Amino acid sequence: MELKLATRLNAYLPHYNNDLEKVFEQLEKVGINYVDINFPQQTLGITPEHMKEMLDKHNLQPNGMEMRFETHYLTGDLGNPDEKLYQDAIKMCKEAADYCHAIGGSMINIWSAHDGFDYSFQIDYVEYWNRIVKACQEVADYAPDIRWSIEYKPYEPRGYAFVDSMGIVEMMLHDINRKNFGVLLDYCHMLMKHENPAMGTALFCSRKQLFGVHLNDGYGVHDDGLMVGTVTPFKTLEFLYYMKKYNFDGMIYFDTEPVREDPSDETKSNIEMLKYLLDLLDQIGMDKIQQIIDSNDGVKARNLMLEFLQK
Ligand SMILES: [Mn+2]
């Protein structure tokens, strides 16, 4: 599996005076080859031509854009009941598509930070649902050559996020009904929902609906954004197993937050761990792992885990 590796630019920017070019220089040094750009924040004051030039100079491929809805959308993004704000959110996605085209990117990930609710009796769920579906159809048809994805999260910053889980996102994709709409799985978000991340890669990747992955780790309550494989290494191994099995060819983005660590040391650690875990799968062998899964035997599964540790 060819590795398309990206990482959070916001982990780097404060260390480099918010100079994107200096960040790109560092990314190239540590082995990152793809970039996702937060829209609009990280494009402000930078023409697409200049962005493309900076990417080319540092041998970085544009994956695409990550939608970031800020305080203007505090009451909701693509489902906002206020018509003006709703139209603003749709327009922002279309502008992201234009920028994405101009830099040669192919994917836009939507994390709707404010779509959700905090109180009972706060929103009309069916109306809200229909608005999100309609907005997603509109942006998908506006840029049919772009792969659009929804990144769900169970809560934070809202008490309840609207699209919060594997099941809801699949219902949503069913209603959006566009081939260029899929899902981006964020590993930490899945832990927060008590989902087993591997179940997500198996189900979505086998249906060709898995467009991207945010890899990280955490303790399941908050969006910790810890380094890959540090808290739940076996779950990470199983997550990667299904990505390999179903030939995932999208980007793996390290959505980690080095607060006290040097961002480049942290990225190198993420890449090292990812490669090590992928190599472990190869050492044991995909067929052998499949045989163990087929036996539906807890002790055999544990034996496999011990074998991973003994390699
Ligand atoms: Mn994420």
Side-chain angles (χ1 to χ4, degrees):
M1 132 185 191
E2 185 225 344
L3 292 178
K4 297 178 180 169
L5 302 177
T7 196
R8 262 183 83 239
L9 304 182
N10 276 348
Y12 280 80
L13 283 164
H15 294 261
Y16 295 93
N17 229 350
N18 289 316
D19 183 337
L20 211 47
E21 164 127 42
K22 292 221 168 70
V23 172
F24 288 170
E25 195 182 316
Q26 295 304 313
L27 296 183
E28 184 184 14
K29 277 188 199 157
V30 296
I32 290 293
N33 54 2
Y34 275 75
V35 170
D36 251 9
I37 297 157
N38 287 4
F39 191 88
Q41 294 80 0
Q42 291 166 351
T43 63
L44 299 176
I46 304 175
T47 63
E49 295 72 29
H50 186 213
M51 184 69 81
K52 178 105 186 62
E53 237 173 66
M54 291 193 288
L55 290 168
D56 286 347
K57 185 172 164 198
H58 296 290
N59 297 307
L60 296 166
Q61 300 283 330
N63 180 65
M65 323 304 293
E66 301 257 343
M67 297 306 299
R68 283 293 173 276
F69 298 96
E70 284 190 335
T71 46
H72 180 60
Y73 300 99
L74 220 47
T75 53
D77 316 309
L78 291 172
N80 200 314
D82 180 285
E83 190 59 24
K84 163 80 170 66
L85 292 168
Y86 178 63
Q87 292 302 333
D88 285 350
I90 293 172
K91 186 165 160 263
M92 200 169 104
C93 289
K94 291 180 179 175
E95 286 165 0
D98 295 343
Y99 200 97
C100 189
H101 279 141
I103 62 170
S106 59
M107 212 195 120
I108 296 179
N109 179 44
I110 298 175
W111 172 53
S112 292
H114 310 291
D115 278 332
F117 56 97
D118 305 303
Y119 297 99
S120 299
F121 302 105
Q122 187 168 7
I123 62 167
D124 180 328
Y125 307 103
V126 175
E127 178 62 23
Y128 213 104
W129 179 277
N130 292 337
R131 285 173 90 75
I132 295 178
V133 169
K134 207 171 135 278
C136 290
Q137 288 172 334
E138 189 174 333
V139 301
D141 295 342
Y142 176 79
D145 55 331
I146 282 178
R147 300 199 331 155
W148 297 82
S149 64
I150 296 175
E151 175 183 4
Y152 66 84
K153 185 177 180 180
Y155 48 86
E156 280 178 355
R158 301 307 300 261
Y160 284 83
F162 198 83
V163 181
D164 72 333
S165 57
M166 281 193 254
I168 292 290
V169 81
E170 181 55 37
M171 279 172 73
M172 184 65 77
L173 292 178
H174 175 267
D175 282 8
I176 294 170
N177 192 27
R178 296 291 187 277
K179 284 245 173 314
N180 60 327
F181 238 96
V183 62
L184 181 144
L185 292 175
D186 182 302
Y187 189 93
C188 251
H189 298 181
M190 302 182 84
L191 294 180
M192 289 165 77
K193 189 67 184 174
H194 194 63
E195 291 176 341
N196 190 30
M199 185 169 164
T201 50
L203 295 178
F204 288 111
C205 208
S206 64
R207 291 160 168 253
K208 309 269 175 242
Q209 288 177 316
L210 184 62
F211 290 0
V213 161
H214 282 182
L215 203 54
N216 44 27
D217 214 336
Y219 295 101
V221 177
H222 302 289
D223 196 7
D224 300 311
L226 301 181
M227 284 182 275
V228 175
T230 54
V231 182
T232 59
F234 293 127
K235 283 188 184 298
T236 309
L237 273 166
E238 194 192 13
F239 186 76
L240 296 173
Y241 169 79
Y242 285 104
M243 284 164 70
K244 264 176 91 88
K245 177 173 174 176
Y246 293 111
N247 302 310
F248 175 71
D249 62 358
M251 162 210 64
I252 299 176
Y253 173 108
F254 301 117
D255 200 357
T256 53
E257 282 198 64
V259 179
R260 290 157 201 90
E261 297 76 19
D262 173 76
S264 287
D265 288 348
E266 206 241 16
T267 304
K268 280 189 255 177
S269 304
N270 283 329
I271 295 174
E272 182 183 38
M273 182 67 87
L274 174 66
K275 288 186 172 166
Y276 185 81
L277 296 178
L278 287 169
D279 185 58
L280 267 184
L281 294 172
D282 286 337
Q283 282 187 46
I284 307 265
M286 296 294 282
D287 292 343
K288 183 172 171 190
I289 297 170
Q290 188 64 50
Q291 276 170 22
I292 291 164
I293 293 167
D294 292 341
S295 71
N296 184 22
D297 182 321
V299 174
K300 282 186 183 160
R302 194 234 56 146
N303 290 345
L304 172 64
M305 292 184 225
L306 185 60
E307 209 176 328
F308 281 126
L309 292 178
Q310 289 168 333
K311 286 287 171 191

